[in-house]
Amino acid sequence: MDASWQNEPTDYRQMGKLPRRSGPTEAARLGPLSITSATMDEELLDLPWHVALEEWPVHNLAALPRGISRHVVRFAHLGGSVIAVKETNEHVARHEYHMLRKLQRLAVPCVEPLAIVAGRRNAAGEDLKPALVTRHLRFSMPYRAVFSQTLRRATLTRLIDAQALLLVRLHLLGFYWGDVSLSNTLFRRDAGAFAAYLVDAETGELYPELSTGQREYDLEVGRVNIAGELMDLIEGGLVEEAVDPVAVSERIIDSYRNLWAALTERESFEFGQRWRINARIRKLNELGFDVEEYSILTAPGQSEVQLQPKVVDAGHHQRRLLRLTGLDVQENQARRLLNDIDAYRTDASTAQDEELAAHEWVTHVFEPIVKSIPRELSGKLEPAEVVHQVLEHRWYISEAQHRNVPLAEALQAYLDDVLPHRRDEAAIILDPKAGGPGLADYDDAE
């Protein structure tokens, strides 16, 4: 007898049979969803979009530390990754989604936009707010998570310097933020410093070029917001008592203006001092920027030359390390690893070529360190940060013991004495007091 759909066995408990529903699905009963996404993940459809975000079931949620937000924000599991879901109005969601996509194309450090989910409705037929979905940035922390009992002044300074660098990068590209704050930023460790990532772009706009007034207004908003955030931390006893929130918040202005001047100001020199052109470019490289275009002005009958960078691009050390090794890391991490490659090249008599030395360094230094990290400790820090810390630990114990400590010995000491006591920055943290996702305490073991 020929098999046909009409005589197919209807015992769906049979091995290999898929369960079938007799009625309409929950999604069909609650109405259609409108999902806008550049890279559609079908598992998005399995999330409880018919439930208000505040009421999502615990089994859908990933308990990660959250920053302060004017919107309802939750972290949720999506396949093997974690996403951030924010309820807002549709106009704001669409504006922020497309703005984040533009910033990504411009290589700005920011979160990855995944989707806009509109047309949401609960079981009673009531409309729910649309949601913006972004991918969680692994190993990142909101500023309130970079503390234990008290936030140290040095850590606070590094956070604000990272924020200033991010703001400079945004302004160079013509992005007006409009809501500069630590709360709208995520931070990742970067070889003793921090790398800042933009999280909230709903008030942002891209222009061909920003006016001085727009840049100054962003700076003033940042100064006021940061002062308020620090006052909040002081009220909670989370910052050293000696910290002056107003004075510290003004550091973003000083840090920003110093970097902006170094990147953009016009420099004049005598025609016979043309070597200063390359000196200026090397200085910008040391700051982590490449000069893609610059303007040189000379006047007839005058011996003076004016030099002004026109297009600068952040990530000089990142690009050099990526070209040599294929490793994609943060800027300060890249700078630190390149220094070790240069030292390795000097010590290794068989590796005079830069690319060959870099390849051997990856094989004999980077990979052995990463492969030595026990599985249970792999979520503590991202691999490049671990390598940086191992190299630093080797230097410290060599200084203390007045000898050149072998890498293998330093690595074992780091794995035994340092890494197990680090916080788990890729792990899911649960707030035991709230019984659900929330802000957990971190330590700043710098």
Side-chain angles (χ1 to χ4, degrees):
M1 180 183 297
D2 293 335
S4 67
W5 291 111
Q6 285 74 22
N7 60 22
E8 182 188 15
T10 56
D11 182 3
Y12 299 119
R13 292 172 296 178
Q14 285 181 250
M15 184 69 69
K17 299 295 290 184
L18 295 176
R20 298 188 181 183
R21 299 179 181 178
S22 57
T25 64
E26 182 75 0
R29 184 175 68 81
L30 295 170
L33 289 174
S34 171
I35 299 180
T36 302
S37 178
T39 55
M40 181 60 191
D41 191 324
E42 62 183 19
E43 293 186 348
L44 274 174
L45 297 171
D46 296 330
L47 293 174
W49 298 114
H50 59 283
V51 177
L53 194 53
E54 283 185 308
E55 302 170 3
W56 273 25
V58 173
H59 69 268
N60 287 118
L61 299 179
L64 288 169
R66 297 193 302 271
I68 297 174
S69 174
R70 66 177 67 90
H71 305 286
V72 177
V73 179
R74 293 291 182 269
F75 292 106
H77 299 286
L78 183 70
S81 63
V82 175
I83 57 173
V85 184
K86 176 172 75 173
E87 284 186 335
T88 183
N89 68 61
E90 187 167 357
H91 172 75
V92 170
R94 294 193 179 280
H95 173 80
E96 186 169 6
Y97 173 80
H98 291 295
M99 189 58 62
L100 287 172
R101 290 199 66 197
K102 290 177 183 178
L103 292 176
Q104 276 212 313
R105 287 194 288 268
L106 292 170
V108 169
C110 63
V111 294
E112 177 188 353
L114 289 184
I116 305 163
V117 182
R120 299 173 62 208
R121 192 178 302 161
N122 64 16
E126 300 168 330
D127 289 337
L128 300 175
K129 287 184 176 182
L132 173 68
V133 183
T134 57
R135 193 178 303 282
H136 172 62
L137 184 64
R138 291 192 73 226
F139 296 101
S140 68
M141 301 165 285
Y143 81 100
R144 293 179 65 89
V146 192
F147 66 83
S148 175
Q149 297 178 349
T150 56
L151 182 66
R152 296 185 303 174
R153 184 196 298 267
T155 304
L156 191 54
T157 297
R158 294 198 298 272
L159 289 178
I160 293 177
D161 285 345
Q163 182 95 41
L165 174 58
L166 174 62
L167 191 56
V168 167
R169 294 186 62 175
L170 293 170
H171 285 177
L172 286 170
L173 294 170
F175 180 79
Y176 168 75
W177 196 341
D179 195 12
V180 183
S181 69
L182 297 174
S183 297
N184 288 336
T185 312
L186 286 174
F187 297 92
R188 296 174 75 173
R189 295 195 179 276
D190 186 11
F194 289 96
Y197 286 74
L198 181 144
V199 177
D200 193 323
E202 66 178 50
T203 57
E205 293 288 351
L206 267 173
Y207 297 92
E209 185 177 354
L210 294 186
S211 68
T212 300
Q214 286 173 311
R215 294 192 299 104
E216 288 295 322
Y217 185 78
D218 249 358
L219 268 179
E220 180 62 16
V221 168
R223 185 188 70 80
V224 172
N225 284 343
I226 290 172
E229 290 164 332
L230 296 182
M231 290 177 185
D232 179 57
L233 291 179
I234 290 173
E235 185 69 22
L238 302 173
V239 178
E240 290 179 343
E241 293 182 0
V243 170
D244 180 344
V246 175
V248 172
S249 69
E250 290 176 350
R251 181 179 177 88
I252 190 173
I253 294 179
D254 295 335
S255 182
Y256 172 95
R257 287 181 176 160
N258 289 337
L259 182 56
W260 183 266
L263 295 175
T264 64
E265 70 180 5
R266 181 175 295 178
E267 181 180 3
S268 299
F269 51 88
E270 296 296 321
F271 190 77
Q273 297 178 312
R274 286 173 291 179
W275 55 269
R276 290 176 62 178
I277 296 175
N278 287 330
R280 177 75 180 274
I281 292 174
R282 284 196 300 273
K283 178 182 177 182
L284 295 181
N285 290 163
E286 291 170 0
L287 291 172
F289 288 82
D290 284 320
V291 181
E292 295 190 356
E293 181 181 322
Y294 55 87
S295 169
I296 298 178
L297 299 177
T298 62
Q302 294 185 7
S303 62
E304 187 177 85
V305 176
Q306 292 185 342
L307 169 69
Q308 182 178 23
K310 300 294 289 184
V311 180
V312 292
D313 190 14
H316 169 76
H317 299 97
Q318 286 175 306
R319 285 188 288 274
R320 182 185 167 210
L321 184 70
L322 184 63
R323 174 178 60 82
L324 289 174
T325 66
L327 299 174
D328 189 5
V329 304
Q330 305 292 335
E331 177 68 11
N332 286 323
Q333 292 169 347
R335 188 198 313 264
R336 177 66 181 86
L337 300 186
L338 284 167
N339 287 340
D340 200 66
I341 291 174
D342 290 339
Y344 181 88
R345 181 185 179 193
T346 300
D347 295 339
S349 58
T350 59
Q352 299 302 319
D353 179 78
E354 182 181 51
E355 293 187 0
L356 178 59
H359 174 75
E360 290 190 2
W361 178 87
V362 171
T363 302
H364 298 298
V365 178
F366 187 89
E367 289 181 350
I369 292 175
V370 173
K371 291 177 181 178
S372 297
I373 303 172
R375 181 184 297 271
E376 65 273 14
L377 300 180
S378 61
K380 295 286 185 179
L381 297 166
E382 55 186 329
E385 187 67 20
V386 171
V387 173
H388 155 70
Q389 292 197 6
V390 168
L391 297 175
E392 288 292 293
H393 191 63
R394 182 188 185 188
W395 182 85
Y396 281 122
I397 60 178
S398 295
E399 284 284 298
Q401 299 179 16
H402 304 289
R403 67 186 180 95
N404 186 23
V405 174
L407 178 61
E409 181 181 337
L411 171 60
Q412 192 60 53
Y414 178 82
L415 294 177
D416 291 341
D417 304 330
V418 180
L419 189 59
H421 305 293
R422 300 288 312 194
R423 57 160 156 254
D424 201 334
E425 293 180 1
I428 293 176
I429 310 296
L430 194 65
D431 184 355
K433 297 179 181 178
L439 182 66
D441 284 349
Y442 285 84
D443 66 314
D444 180 46
E446 290 289 335

